[in-house]
Amino acid sequence: MSAIAHADDGHGHGHDDHGHGHDGHDGHGHDDHGHGDLVENNYMKVPNIKLAMWTFLGSECMFFGSLIATYFFYLDKSISGPLPAEVFSIEITSISTFVLLMSSYTMALAVDAMKSAKLGKAKLMLVLTAICGTIFVSFQVYEFWHFFVEKKLALQTSLFGSTFYTMTGFHGAHVTVGVIWLLMVAGLIHKGNIKPQRAVVVESAGLYWHFVDIVWIIIFTFVYLFEFAK
Amino acid sequence: MNPALHDVASYHTHSKLYTRTAVILSIITAVEIALLYVPPLKPILVPLMTVMAIQKLAMVVGTFMHLGDDKNVFRLVFLAPMLMAFLMIYVMTLLVMPHFSPYGGGYVRLAAQRSYDERMGLLPAAAAAHKPARSVEEYEKLFADAKDHGAGEKVWGERCAACHRADGGGMAGLGPNMTDDCYLHGGKVHNIVSTVLNGIPGKAMVSFKGQITDEQIEQVSLYVRSLRGKNVADGKACEGEKVGN
């Protein structure tokens, strides 16, 4: 059950009586989602910030879709090595994949804790999620370094190099942005700037995080595993 | 009543559901990786893994992101572009890409890239030593037009059969099978000419440049190409990459 579901029934609940005043007050600070989009009702009776997030993620689908399609379009077209099968390490990538997958779990728990007004747990889960994200990015930095220094695969080396680094690099950048975002959200909860009634702020950050995870689910299977499966 | 505000009092935790989902996601991922080590499954691995990946994606989106029990408008703005993205990947990868020859057309300056690699010392020295006389397309055309490989077959019998067997089936520890669809160094006539010209550094396959004439190298290479797909009895198992036609 989400905040939205309650909104639909049209009846006021005790907790919602904080109303505009409270919310407006809390809306200041670094939380640049502002209070406007939270307070303001709209035609579809959904929180604007959440609608905005889903729409943004829709455009992100096309963004990563293009990068993945381009990678496959030029796959097996490189005329100089190293080729994917020579550089990929399933063992290492499996570990980082697992870490990212688990971060989606902690993220879901963070939102759940926020909605249950367990602020301490919410903060802990957000920080855990950010740590998992950092581990994932560290693995990627190691991977890139290994490819670049030891396997002599640069961005300009081959079509594989160009398309691979662009695709996975943008994904890693998304994870990095997500880590910073989650830490900021945890900080705002800590300072009391995000109350459980405004869990939608945490939920929206969570949507972004889960999205980044599903992009990796696709990249891991299609790009890494398929290389050894065909 | 403000739809943007969450009602704490009537919220019931989902943590059990999330835990269950996380466990299932982990299991699917573990199975996916384990499948790589089951050789008999190889032919169906790609479709199988695709299904598993989509299943994981659906679980994250449906359960963690709650798209399943949320508003329609969210499904519209997210799932429609996602469908388009998958469609694009499918069309580009499986429908368009196979018709795109990296050597023809003006799309990619592969030649320029190759010279870059040579400059950077990224190509093995031997590979750069002797260049085949004709372009990839010219060789393919030559092969397509060739009716008789008698001369090439003769060279093969004298020079190559010792390692690759008279019928091209290959020999254990020596030359690979030429009658299957697999190649270690590429299956275009151009690749074959290049292999015979330069040999494979560190392998028994030596350079034939100067040992036989360039014309004989061309003839025997066309003959080798004509062996593909004959799949002679007890030939050596596939080595390298399978090529299509």
Side-chain angles (χ1 to χ4, degrees), chain A residues 82 87 141-155 157 165, chain B residues 122:
Chain A
V87 294
V141 169
Y142 167 78
E143 184 190 45
F144 279 19
W145 176 85
H146 176 71
F147 288 5
F148 183 75
V149 176
E150 278 163 34
K151 305 284 186 176
K152 301 263 179 291
L153 179 70
L155 197 59
T157 303
Y165 281 129
Chain B
L122 287 169

Side-chain angles (χ1 to χ4, degrees), chain A residues 86-145:
Chain A
E86 294 166 332
V87 294
F88 288 168
S89 156
I90 287 298
E91 290 80 10
I92 296 209
T93 315
S94 298
I95 299 172
S96 64
T97 300
F98 183 74
V99 171
L100 195 65
L101 203 60
M102 285 307 102
S103 79
S104 248
Y105 173 50
T106 52
M107 184 69 235
L109 290 182
V111 175
D112 193 63
M114 194 67 195
K115 289 185 171 175
S116 313
K118 294 180 187 146
L119 297 192
K121 186 178 176 194
K123 278 184 286 183
L124 176 71
M125 287 302 157
L126 282 171
V127 171
L128 274 181
T129 309
I131 291 175
C132 286
T134 310
I135 294 175
F136 179 85
V137 174
S138 311
F139 267 99
Q140 189 175 46
V141 169
Y142 167 78
E143 184 190 45
F144 279 19
W145 176 85

Side-chain angles (χ1 to χ4, degrees), chain B residues 222-236:
Chain B
L222 291 168
Y223 173 69
V224 167
R225 173 64 181 80
S226 77
L227 293 175
R228 174 187 315 163
K230 285 210 160 70
N231 289 311
V232 295
D234 48 343
K236 227 172 141 187

